[in-house]
């Protein structure tokens, strides 16, 4: 009986993390929309890190700005695949499942904007990088975790001790 407690607790933690990250994304975007003037940089750490609200109709780096339906479709497919893989893996491969949580939140956070606003609200600006948001950060963290998983845990047969 106790053998089931750990996988269930981990599942609850993953779902809670997804909810918390999605809430953080929604709250910060709402704050940025209400507080920051569009296109007006506000220094956070000198001019190296600023808060600059932009409306991104494209993908990363603003590419394909004239194809919003493409980004909605791709985001929904990615979110569905992440959920499917997450469920399929059940109590196994927690690092991979954690990566899927981050990718899912990133995809859903930005698709909500695209469906409700027609653009994604971005507001974190680090000099030399495109303006981004919490959902974008989640996609990045998820991608890094996927690479880490591939380097340290991918391709091996699943065992109950695998992380």
């Amino acid at each position: 009986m106790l053998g089931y407690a750990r996988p269930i607790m981990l599942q609850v933690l993953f779902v809670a993390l997804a909810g918390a990250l999605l809430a953080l994304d929604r709250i910060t975007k709402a704050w940025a929309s209400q507080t920051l003037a569009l296109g007006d940089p506000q220094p956070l750490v000198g001019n190296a890190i600023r808060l600059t609200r932009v409306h991104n109709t494209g993908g990363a780096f603003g590419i394909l700005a004239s194809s919003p339906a493409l980004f909605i479709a791709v985001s929904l497919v990615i979110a569905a695949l992440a959920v499917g893989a997450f469920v399929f893996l059940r109590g196994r491969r927690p690092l991979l499942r954690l990566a899927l949580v981050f990718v899912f939140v990133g995809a859903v956070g930005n698709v909500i904007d695209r469906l409700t606003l027609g653009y994604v609200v971005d507001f974190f600006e680090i000099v030399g990088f495109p303006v981004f948001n919490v959902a974008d950060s989640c996609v990045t963290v998820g991608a890094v975790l996927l690479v880490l998983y591939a380097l340290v845990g991918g391709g091996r047969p699943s065992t109950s001790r695998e992380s």
Side-chain angles (χ1 to χ4, degrees), residues 41 47-52 123-132:
N47 275 328
I49 301 175
R50 304 182 294 199
L51 297 175
T52 307
F123 57 93
F124 288 120
E125 182 180 13
I126 298 174
V127 174
F129 292 94
V131 183
F132 61 98

Side-chain angles (χ1 to χ4, degrees), residues 14 17 21 78 82 86 89 93-106 138-150:
F14 283 142
L17 176 63
L21 289 171
I78 289 170
F86 184 88
L89 292 169
R93 304 180 189 228
L95 180 59
L96 178 56
R97 294 175 80 216
L98 181 62
L100 294 170
V101 166
F102 277 96
V103 169
F104 170 81
V105 168
C138 287
V139 170
T140 301
V141 169
V144 168
L145 290 173
L146 285 171
V147 168
L148 182 62
Y149 174 78

